[in-house]
Amino acid sequence: MHFRKGYRSTGAILLLLSLLLGCGRGETFELGEKPSAVGKVTAIDESGRFLIVGPAENGKQPDAAWYDMAEDAVLESGGAPLLPADVKIGSEVNVWGGGLMLTSYPGQTEGLRLEVTAVDDGEGELQGRVTGVENAGESVNRERYLEVDGTRYRLLPITRVWIGGQRADVADIRNGDVVRLWFIGYEVGAEAERMVTQVSVERAASGRSDPFVPGVAIESKAGGEADAKTEALLEVVLRSLRAVVAKDRQAFAATLESDGLLDAYEVLLRPEAQYRFYEIDGIAALGGDPNRMNVGIGYERMEESRSDQGVFTFTLRPDANGDWKIATID
């Protein structure tokens, strides 16, 4: 639906818009001072529609609707014009609609005017550290979840991800990332899942904010304190990591359960692949077996000017002498 716009004054500023009807007749449509809705932009979909959600009252679901802004809609903030790309998730707005509202939840309508009354401060509604990223189902039925500080949140197909101020993908989010989350503003389903519409990751898009320097930047103790068993596990893993950084085959082989494993994991010793090991990503018994221990290690890798980030899982077992050795690296 397209329209032409004009203005007139009636004590307060009124926006006068001409709607072109399907039969070609022109009809005048006047937008008054009172907006159709007052709320917050909680999501922006692929086509640029704004989801505007009002405040929740008396435990009821808040008013919510998608606004598809017309081609010549008026977008402004403090009297200054805005482009659609200038409207941020989390901003508080007044919006004027075209009158016809589809009765789905959220509703759907055309937007004719949008006024930003408070710009989002970029802090998000929740801040924390990623403790898990999960994919469930397949194809069109696939659902994605982000676990932050042990609490699980649902990601939507329209969830926007930002890393270091640049658009990114959910697949770029790593365990240990410090994130800020924005939510859709209402809950659905029997479990009342909180749905995330925007994630901002506090690191550079390359996976680090400092120049890449190979090495092992991990303390010998997990969280500052560790028991004797944990110390023994970390001692072996740290020796292995230092050998990888130094490309020392002999020192690396000494940490493995058998000499035959060296060929399988020699790929880690390639000179062109440089590593920076920066965090312990958990220590736990494999399948509850205290003699099979997993140690997760976060890494950054640089190879031929390309970088990536991930977690290696070292599985250790005691040998005949009771010394911990690395059985597998995944």
Side-chain angles (χ1 to χ4, degrees):
M1 184 181 295
H2 305 287
F3 58 93
R4 301 181 299 274
K5 58 180 178 288
Y7 301 88
R8 77 178 185 187
S9 174
T10 60
I13 297 177
L14 298 178
L15 183 60
L16 189 64
L17 303 164
S18 295
L19 300 179
L20 300 182
L21 304 181
C23 62
R25 293 184 293 108
E27 180 178 304
T28 298
F29 188 85
E30 186 175 283
L31 295 182
E33 183 177 359
K34 184 178 180 180
S36 304
V38 175
K40 183 180 290 187
V41 177
T42 65
I44 303 173
D45 72 6
E46 298 89 342
S47 65
R49 295 189 305 166
F50 300 121
L51 177 60
I52 299 175
V53 179
E57 297 180 356
N58 300 322
K60 297 180 180 179
Q61 287 280 57
D63 291 335
W66 286 101
Y67 286 83
D68 187 5
M69 306 307 293
E71 289 182 3
D72 49 356
V74 175
L75 289 80
E76 60 185 354
S77 177
L82 293 176
L83 295 173
D86 296 327
V87 180
K88 307 300 183 186
I89 291 175
S91 295
E92 297 177 11
V93 299
N94 297 329
V95 63
W96 287 256
L100 178 64
M101 175 75 72
L102 297 182
T103 58
S104 57
Y105 187 83
Q108 300 178 60
T109 190
E110 185 177 45
L112 307 182
R113 180 187 176 196
L114 184 141
E115 177 188 22
V116 176
T117 58
V119 179
D120 178 65
D121 60 10
E123 292 298 311
E125 300 171 63
L126 183 144
Q127 301 176 25
R129 188 175 295 275
V130 175
T131 51
V133 182
E134 176 187 343
N135 289 294
E138 297 180 359
S139 187
V140 296
N141 296 317
R142 187 177 68 165
E143 295 182 347
R144 297 177 297 182
Y145 294 88
L146 186 66
E147 184 182 279
V148 177
D149 294 333
T151 302
R152 191 168 177 251
Y153 303 100
R154 184 178 174 184
L155 302 177
L156 303 173
I158 62 169
T159 298
R160 294 189 166 197
V161 177
W162 301 85
I163 298 180
Q166 300 179 24
R167 286 293 297 272
D169 188 81
V170 171
D172 298 318
I173 301 174
R174 309 295 187 190
N175 282 343
D177 279 339
V178 175
V179 295
R180 302 173 190 270
L181 305 183
W182 286 254
F183 296 97
I184 203 166
Y186 56 83
E187 297 175 347
V188 297
E191 298 181 0
E193 293 178 315
R194 295 193 72 186
M195 296 178 287
V196 177
T197 57
Q198 183 167 264
V199 181
S200 176
V201 180
E202 296 183 7
R203 61 172 165 83
S206 64
R208 60 185 185 278
S209 57
D210 55 331
F212 180 85
V213 178
V216 180
I218 299 174
E219 297 293 333
S220 61
K221 293 184 179 181
E225 295 184 3
D227 58 25
K229 179 178 180 179
T230 300
E231 285 283 16
L233 291 167
L234 289 178
E235 190 273 331
V236 176
V237 171
L238 290 176
R239 281 197 290 116
S240 180
L241 300 180
R242 295 187 187 105
V244 169
V245 171
K247 308 304 178 188
D248 186 331
R249 294 181 79 257
Q250 184 174 355
F252 181 65
T255 66
L256 301 177
E257 191 175 56
S258 67
D259 293 338
L261 292 175
L262 182 59
D263 290 341
Y265 298 121
E266 196 167 21
V267 64
L268 297 173
L269 303 178
R270 291 178 299 126
E272 60 270 25
Q274 299 294 313
Y275 289 89
R276 176 176 179 261
F277 300 102
Y278 62 87
E279 71 175 355
I280 300 168
D281 190 53
I283 301 175
L286 177 61
D289 183 353
N291 289 318
R292 292 176 63 85
M293 298 296 298
N294 281 349
V295 178
I297 299 294
Y299 70 86
E300 298 170 83
R301 174 172 52 201
M302 180 71 72
E303 186 170 354
E304 296 179 353
S305 300
R306 297 190 302 271
S307 65
D308 66 346
Q309 187 179 46
V311 175
F312 284 132
T313 299
F314 292 76
T315 301
L316 295 90
R317 296 188 295 198
D319 63 12
N321 298 318
D323 296 324
W324 289 98
K325 296 289 184 177
I326 296 169
T328 63
I329 304 174
D330 292 325

